[in-house]
Amino acid sequence: MAYLSLQGINKIYPNGFHAVHDFNLEIEQGEFICLVGPSGCGKSTTLRMIAGLENISKGEFLIDGVRANEMGPREREIAMVFQSYALYPHMSVYDNLAFGLTLQGVDDDIIEEKVNNIARILGLTDYLDRKPRALSGGQRQRVAVGRAIIRKVGVFLMDEPLSNLDAKQRVTMRSEITDIHRKVGSTTIYVTHDQTEAMTMADRIVVMKDGYIQQVGTPFDLYFNPVNMFVAGFIGEPPMNFVNCSVENGCIEALGSNVALNNILSDDMLGKYEGKPVALGFRPEGIVLGEVKNAYVFSAEVVLTELLGDNTNVYVNVGESSLILKVDPHDTPKLDSTITFSVPYENAYLFDLDTELVIEKK
Ligand code: ATP
């Protein structure tokens, strides 16, 4: 296990493209960190700099307190699983797992013990004689993970390792990877563009956009206390609803109602935002059907309902705004009907539309 320190890390590619800006993060021993963000935000570049596959243009990278910028990939004692599993097709599962140790000249009986142990952890014992082509996608993925963790390394890097699997396999492998992490305990950095994967697996999530860190926090933190509109919209499925408004006399005209902001903002903040453009945000699951106390109450036209089993997504129009509400399937409203819904004050967010930063509530 190792702890990592990334201090002011930047990546500027030879063509001048600045892919990662001032990346700062302290990663504790044994922590499971997920890097998330849309395509092209710099997740893989960051991971590859940690692995030693890309040089660091500026900043300092430390492993266990020792500068590692100039260390080669092998020296860093880091193992990596890529999107493509890159198994050797002509070798059996056993030989694929053993390969790294064989190269290192480890004794055969020790290799056998380690391969059997890893195969047991990963549920591959019955498949050791098979070639990769005779395995399912999920089983291949487990061999790739096994090959990486069989060498005792301090840090384990994974770049979208589940992207080739179907939806069901992804869910299974997700819990398997968390389970393996618990058993092996290696510091893990996991790259994904899938916020559900990050929410379910990570100790802490790093949300990136355009090469910049937007927020670092526990899944709980990011969901309940997003620092800006990007994080608020990225974490959570379906995404948070936003309604653009401007503050007039301490109120906003939101969805046809006059919404008093003194319920959620301090007098200081009310003064600061008078006359400014803001966005009211609330999560699809943060609403209550009908009219309740201590809440903003709105009236909406139902345009589409999607029954998903454990909930129904209700697509509504309120004036010009299209919104999504999440309701209990038993409460699914009729198409084209008019419904009333409430956003309790504690579930309402307000964002500064100039900076897109969240406005601190009282
Ligand atoms: P994805 O989820 O699509 O893999 P990502 O967040 O991992 O995306 P990166 O692969 O890190 O993104 O790329 C970040 C940015 O750097 C992208 O705009 C990409 O086009 C650019 N980039 C990547 N490799 C190079 C390179 N060798 N030279 C120049 N630009 C590059």
Side-chain angles (χ1 to χ4, degrees):
M1 278 199 272
Y3 69 92
L4 308 178
S5 175
L6 292 105
Q7 303 173 359
I9 299 287
N10 283 265
K11 177 68 190 180
I12 303 167
Y13 279 110
N15 67 355
F17 185 75
H18 202 151
V20 176
H21 297 256
D22 219 12
F23 190 104
N24 289 294
L25 187 66
E26 300 292 318
I27 303 175
E28 286 175 29
Q29 283 192 21
E31 221 182 345
F32 196 119
I33 294 283
C34 279
L35 302 184
V36 294
S39 182
C41 71
K43 307 177 295 285
S44 299
T45 302
T46 305
L47 202 69
R48 291 170 61 80
M49 286 192 283
I50 294 171
L53 301 173
E54 269 319 328
N55 72 316
I56 296 168
S57 310
K58 194 174 142 218
E60 197 156 34
F61 173 49
L62 310 178
I63 302 178
D64 289 332
V66 178
R67 183 178 157 98
N69 290 47
E70 289 77 25
M71 284 184 194
R74 285 200 166 270
E75 249 181 300
R76 298 185 188 200
E77 306 244 309
I78 282 174
M80 187 151 174
V81 181
F82 296 93
Q83 237 167 64
S84 56
Y85 322 131
L87 300 178
Y88 299 107
H90 57 285
M91 288 188 195
S92 66
V93 168
Y94 183 98
D95 290 335
N96 264 288
L97 289 172
F99 188 68
L101 300 176
T102 311
L103 273 191
Q104 286 176 2
V106 176
D107 287 347
D108 282 350
D109 46 345
I110 295 178
I111 293 181
E112 189 177 344
E113 188 189 323
K114 288 194 175 207
V115 169
N116 286 335
N117 186 33
I118 288 289
R120 194 172 38 75
I121 292 177
L122 294 170
L124 290 169
T125 307
D126 294 341
Y127 306 99
L128 287 171
D129 295 333
R130 290 204 196 170
K131 298 274 168 57
R133 68 170 174 276
L135 299 175
S136 72
Q139 290 161 344
R140 275 180 224 164
Q141 186 60 54
R142 275 184 262 158
V143 179
V145 170
R147 214 172 44 167
I149 61 178
I150 199 159
R151 294 189 296 129
K152 271 259 173 293
V153 292
V155 185
F156 193 32
L157 306 179
M158 296 194 238
D159 194 351
E160 305 250 7
L162 309 187
S163 56
N164 294 331
L165 305 183
D166 66 32
K168 211 165 180 182
Q169 286 175 326
R170 287 174 79 108
V171 175
T172 315
M173 272 311 288
R174 220 158 66 191
S175 55
E176 283 185 14
I177 288 179
T178 341
D179 195 41
I180 295 163
H181 175 251
R182 217 171 292 134
K183 285 179 185 147
V184 179
S186 298
T187 308
T188 302
I189 308 174
Y190 186 104
V191 161
T192 176
H193 62 268
D194 179 343
Q195 59 94 25
T196 313
E197 241 168 69
M199 289 294 278
T200 49
M201 299 170 88
D203 293 317
R204 280 190 303 156
I205 299 175
V206 179
V207 182
M208 295 180 73
K209 182 189 167 215
D210 299 336
Y212 289 92
I213 292 185
Q214 302 291 305
Q215 189 170 1
V216 180
T218 62
F220 188 93
D221 261 351
L222 296 193
Y223 180 83
F224 287 104
N225 302 309
V227 294
N228 61 27
M229 291 176 79
F230 179 79
V231 176
F234 193 80
I235 301 288
E237 177 60 33
M240 185 182 278
N241 296 298
F242 297 111
V243 184
N244 294 357
C245 329
S246 68
V247 183
E248 312 291 343
N249 301 320
C251 293
I252 50 174
E253 186 75 17
L255 309 174
S257 295
N258 204 26
V259 172
L261 295 181
N262 61 354
N263 295 306
I264 57 171
L265 293 189
S266 64
D267 290 348
D268 268 7
M269 284 293 174
L270 277 177
K272 193 171 159 199
Y273 282 94
E274 185 63 31
K276 298 252 169 68
V278 297
L280 176 71
F282 57 90
R283 296 199 178 277
E285 57 276 27
I287 63 109
V288 183
L289 283 178
E291 187 169 342
V292 300
K293 285 209 176 108
N294 299 320
Y296 299 125
V297 182
F298 305 103
S299 174
E301 306 294 326
V302 178
V303 291
L304 178 72
T305 59
E306 286 175 345
L307 175 67
L308 298 173
D310 55 346
N311 67 274
T312 298
N313 288 338
V314 183
Y315 294 74
V316 298
N317 283 343
V318 187
E320 303 281 284
S321 305
S322 300
L323 309 168
I324 307 180
L325 315 177
K326 219 178 198 180
V327 305
D328 186 292
H330 299 97
D331 298 333
T332 304
K334 288 209 167 57
L335 271 186
D336 299 326
S337 63
T338 303
I339 58 168
T340 302
F341 71 91
S342 306
V343 178
Y345 297 145
E346 70 263 26
N347 294 348
Y349 294 83
L350 215 58
F351 298 90
D352 179 331
L353 268 180
D354 289 334
T355 60
E356 302 207 340
L357 295 175
V358 75
I359 300 173
E360 199 187 322
K361 291 191 347 186
K362 68 179 174 191

